[in-house]
Amino acid sequence: MTNLIGKLFGNILGAIYSFTGSYGIAIILFTFLVKLLLMPLTIKQTKSTVAMQEITPRVNEIQEKYKNNPERQNKEIMELYQKANINPMAGCLPLLIQFPILIGLFNLLKDPVGLGAFASQAVFQQANGPFLWMNNLTDPNAILAILSGASAFIMQKIMTPKEQLNGQMKMMTYMMAGLSFYWGFIFPAGLTLYWTISNVFAILQQVIVTKPLKAKFEADMKEASKNGKKNKNKK
């Protein structure tokens, strides 16, 4: 499946290159295209995450109240999810869908000729010339590795709620930045360029789209909760 995705994206990357005439710019435009296609899944995941956060205190109450009765505890929690119209797996589904896409992209940028982005190795070598400060996009690049690590760190910081920036989440922030930095030294620069631009897009998306949407979702859920309490009191 990942090879099929890789070949599909290979054709798209090849088409973008034939239009731009620059392998580096083709990767950047291709990255933005992929992220835009995945945005509906990101929005769905955000909505699910907000909904789960909103009812977490109630879930904790049920877990404490029925801690000695696991069967009743599960029943009460499931009823709570149904009343709130929440699917606990909804937040995981977008991640599962994105995983083969990411693997396909990884394979494509490691082997653009084999997956159809370029007709032959000779054509790829001609396209794989200097870009910005880099001699080519095949060899690893130290400056790009630093940018990749820095962008991953900023992305993790901005996407993680302040109250969670401790313990494991803090360690995750540094670990992701460290891995992105390390990968930049061992993977082709084209792959690191994709990862860096993807991080930058995620940062912009968080500021421009996700945070306002999250605030709206939270306000809507609080309003619905207030209306529910009012209706309950009237009865």
Side-chain angles (χ1 to χ4, degrees), residues 91-104:
C92 300
L93 184 61
L95 291 175
L96 293 175
I97 294 172
Q98 289 183 57
F99 186 72
I101 293 174
L102 291 173
I103 298 298

Side-chain angles (χ1 to χ4, degrees), residues 121-227:
Q121 193 65 36
V123 175
F124 173 63
Q125 289 299 331
Q126 185 178 358
N128 186 33
F131 181 69
L132 299 177
W133 64 89
M134 295 169 280
N135 293 326
N136 58 65
L137 291 170
T138 303
D139 299 327
N141 184 272
I143 295 175
L144 197 56
I146 294 169
L147 292 175
S148 177
S151 61
F153 179 79
I154 295 169
M155 181 187 70
Q156 286 293 125
K157 288 276 283 186
I158 201 170
M159 293 180 72
T160 306
K162 290 181 180 179
E163 60 271 17
Q164 294 181 17
L165 275 174
N166 51 51
Q168 290 184 339
M169 290 306 297
K170 190 173 183 179
M171 185 181 295
M172 180 68 72
T173 299
Y174 287 104
M175 186 177 77
M176 286 302 298
L179 282 173
S180 295
F181 178 73
Y182 172 69
W183 288 335
F185 280 97
I186 62 172
F187 289 144
L191 188 59
T192 310
L193 178 63
Y194 166 81
W195 190 252
T196 304
I197 297 300
S198 183
N199 290 342
V200 172
F201 186 97
I203 292 167
L204 294 173
Q205 181 178 279
Q206 180 71 13
V207 173
I208 298 169
V209 179
T210 306
K211 284 186 79 173
L213 271 177
K214 187 175 179 181
K216 184 180 182 302
F217 292 149
E218 288 174 346
D220 289 347
M221 291 200 70
K222 285 177 182 177
E223 186 64 29
S225 179
K226 285 179 183 177
N227 291 336

